[in-house]
Amino acid sequence: MSILVAPKALEGHSVREFQMLIDGQWVGGESQRSLERVAPGHGVIVSRYAQASAGDTERAILAARKAFDDGPWPRMTAAERSNVLLKAASLIESRLEEIAFLDAVEAGKPITQVRGEINGAVDIWRYAAALARDLHGESYNTLGEGTLGVVLREAIGVVSIITPWNFPFLIVAQKLPFALAAGCTCVVKPSELTSGSTLLLGEILIEAGVPAGVVNILVGTGAEVGSVMTTHPAVDMVSFTGSTGVGRLTMANAAQTLKKVSLELGGKNPQIVFPDANLDEFIDAAAFGAWFNAGECCNAGSRLILHKSIATDVVARIAKLSAGVRVGDPLDPLTQIGAIITPEHLQKIETYVSSAATGGARVAHGGAAVNFGAGQFMGPVILDGVTQDMAVAREEVFGPVLSVLTFETAEEAIRIANAVDYGLSAGVWSRDFDTCLTVGRKVRAGTIWMNTFMDGASELPFGGYKQSGQGRELGRHAVEDYTETKTLNMHIGPRTGWWMPR
Ligand code: NDP
């Protein structure tokens, strides 16, 4: 088992009330309904959000449309937009503790981890501010004496941004500042489970100088609000992060009006380990990759593909390390694994574990939920002897569950790594860089880590192959993703006529 840290009661905390942001105004919504969030680590209500209806969503989209078609934001200089984004980054920094507390209680994440995520988000806002000033097109002065070609990058228009619950503040930072940098206007829908920090971001953006209607934030269900955001004809692009199933639906919805779609979806990410790897480094990275964010992470290293000769030793060492991992109170600064997002999700994770055990996998560590009397928790689970036909080897569990498979040759390892529908990320471990590069180039995934896992930087593009998504976030092209390309084909001097009377 792991070290258990029972959550302390949330003393002195009152339920935080939020409204929605439409056209620069905080409003209650036409139906006056609300949604309540029960903290997954504490079992008490911590937030109450005004719930948007389809009508509120329509108003938000039309406000964004007007702000794009007639408002100042797309017409400002890039330097002016960049300055607003920089101010937003500094304001986020100054409210870091408030944002971190909200994400920790609403998502059940460890507070120390959330602080890191928010600092990461600040860096992304600053990176987007820098990219804003470098957004430019191309010119062609090589098309002949009579022709000059100029290729413009124009903001694509109104963008619907839909985000999940597992990294509420970080994921919106991977989208919104880049859309704003390009000059777009947006309607944002965070997950109804963890909307608080995105609503705080709305306050920050107003203070930073984002004009009314440029960023609208709605809390509501995917079925009611998300479906309007992905089908409305006034929306030009949808940027979605979430499950592969809803991503597929989003694409089908957007296809009705042929919107541009960017999708960041699920993963079943392998870590391939050769016998010559630095196993001390790997053991730590394996635990981090699998237990970070309680495994509720698209990038989780949820499949170990170990060379047969080292498998028994590696599993025993990861189990030993996991016994010292601290599970429990999200607000304890030493906690490493916090709460599971909902009771239903915990049940889903338990079903994966029990059906793997029934199917012949050996539970090498953990396996049962942790009961603190309130909230829902699960410590690390290691499943050894997993085979490709088991659901835990192919499907995204989204919990602290590590599946161990083995290989004998590099070709076999690559085959196993590629034998799933996902292709988000992968790790390769060997002291021989030939091995790392040969294997890394053959694994079909958007990010390959070599002798490390889940590192990242604002400069490095992120996204998936296959059913892990479409498009890339971050990196130097991130702002371009929110643009249209326009060609100006200019003629100089007399034209050569198409029909010249002879
Ligand atoms: P979901 O797909 O269930 O939800 C994601 C968002 O989509 C939520 O805001 C949800 O709203 C909304 N939504 C639900 N139904 C619709 C609909 N019909 N139309 C439009 N929007 C809709 O994912 P989860 O929130 O459960 O997040 C977990 C998933 O996200 C995992 O599969 C994970 O892999 C993936 N993910 C991918 C990342 C990546 O970058 N590749 C990063 C992080 C997570 P609501 O839930 O409020 O109803």
Side-chain angles (χ1 to χ4, degrees), residues 62-72 74-75 156-158 183 185 234 236:
L62 295 181
R65 187 76 253 167
K66 189 164 180 299
F68 185 79
D69 292 341
D70 308 324
R75 287 154 197 92
I156 196 166
V158 175
T185 60
D236 299 291

Side-chain angles (χ1 to χ4, degrees), residues 163-166 189 192 222 240 242-243 264-266 298 396 398 462:
T163 58
W165 47 259
N166 57 345
K189 191 196 96 60
E192 78 208 46
F240 172 88
S243 60
E264 298 292 344
L265 309 174
C298 54
E396 194 178 40
F398 233 54
F462 174 69

